[in-house]
Amino acid sequence: MNTKRLIFLSMIITVILILAGCITQSLPRDVEGQWDLEAISNENGEILSVGKAYINYDDWAGQKEDIEINFNKDNTFETKGFEKNLSGKYNINQDLSTKDATAINMNIDDETEIIATYGIRQYQDGEEADSLIFILNKKIYSFIKPITN
């Protein structure tokens, strides 16, 4: 009887360890690729304009913008669609990053430095989306990484 109890206990411990490993899994640190604008908001959260990643883009009656950011393997980035396209270098900020969010230092060629935050959004229906947010000129920019099949 003690042997059965020991086996049962070891199976429970194994399952708990496996589940704990799934829960504490870290966020991928790969930001490379294209990110499409979802929305631009003011500091109060009011949406000023939307991009093609916005869920109701076709129904949006306000201003629309076609802005994207491309992060390259050589740690450079460039934007398209801003009034003045931006480019520069980026790196992962290990000190500010957590297991749930990655901080990215973006050093723009005009010597402006911003910190972007990369994370995974989880929606009620179970869908997930890679999300990138930063503040520039008192506006909040929200980007989504397009799903590629």
Side-chain angles (χ1 to χ4, degrees):
M1 188 132 160
N2 283 340
T3 306
K4 286 183 182 181
R5 213 180 254 170
L6 200 55
I7 291 172
F8 181 72
L9 219 52
S10 66
M11 286 180 7
I12 289 175
I13 291 172
T14 303
V15 169
I16 290 171
L17 290 175
I18 289 171
L19 291 176
C22 294
I23 293 169
T24 60
Q25 192 174 34
S26 293
L27 176 74
R29 304 279 183 192
D30 180 20
V31 298
E32 293 170 9
Q34 177 181 320
W35 295 78
D36 294 331
L37 178 70
E38 176 186 34
I40 302 172
S41 306
N42 63 21
E43 292 176 318
N44 296 323
E46 178 186 355
I47 295 176
L48 305 173
S49 61
V50 300
K52 59 185 171 186
Y54 187 70
I55 193 93
N56 294 318
Y57 179 80
D58 293 331
D59 298 329
W60 181 258
Q63 185 173 349
K64 298 178 181 179
E65 311 230 9
D66 188 15
I67 298 174
E68 67 182 53
I69 297 179
N70 286 295
F71 288 96
N72 304 308
K73 288 182 181 187
D74 64 355
N75 283 50
T76 61
F77 70 90
E78 63 270 338
T79 66
K80 295 178 186 171
F82 277 100
E83 289 177 19
K84 175 187 170 194
N85 286 330
L86 308 173
S87 61
K89 295 193 174 276
Y90 75 93
N91 65 317
I92 305 299
N93 184 324
Q94 300 293 345
D95 294 333
L96 296 178
S97 296
T98 67
K99 71 177 185 69
D100 298 318
T102 300
I104 304 165
N105 291 337
M106 297 173 63
N107 297 299
I108 302 171
D109 287 340
D110 70 2
E111 299 185 12
T112 301
E113 182 177 1
I114 57 177
I115 297 177
T117 303
Y118 161 49
I120 305 288
R121 288 189 199 171
Q122 296 177 335
Y123 297 99
Q124 288 181 340
D125 64 1
E127 293 290 319
E128 293 184 345
D130 289 13
S131 173
L132 180 80
I133 298 173
F134 61 84
I135 298 174
L136 180 65
N137 300 327
K138 296 186 178 186
K139 294 180 183 173
I140 302 166
Y141 292 83
S142 173
F143 290 83
I144 300 290
K145 198 171 204 181
I147 298 171
T148 55
N149 294 329

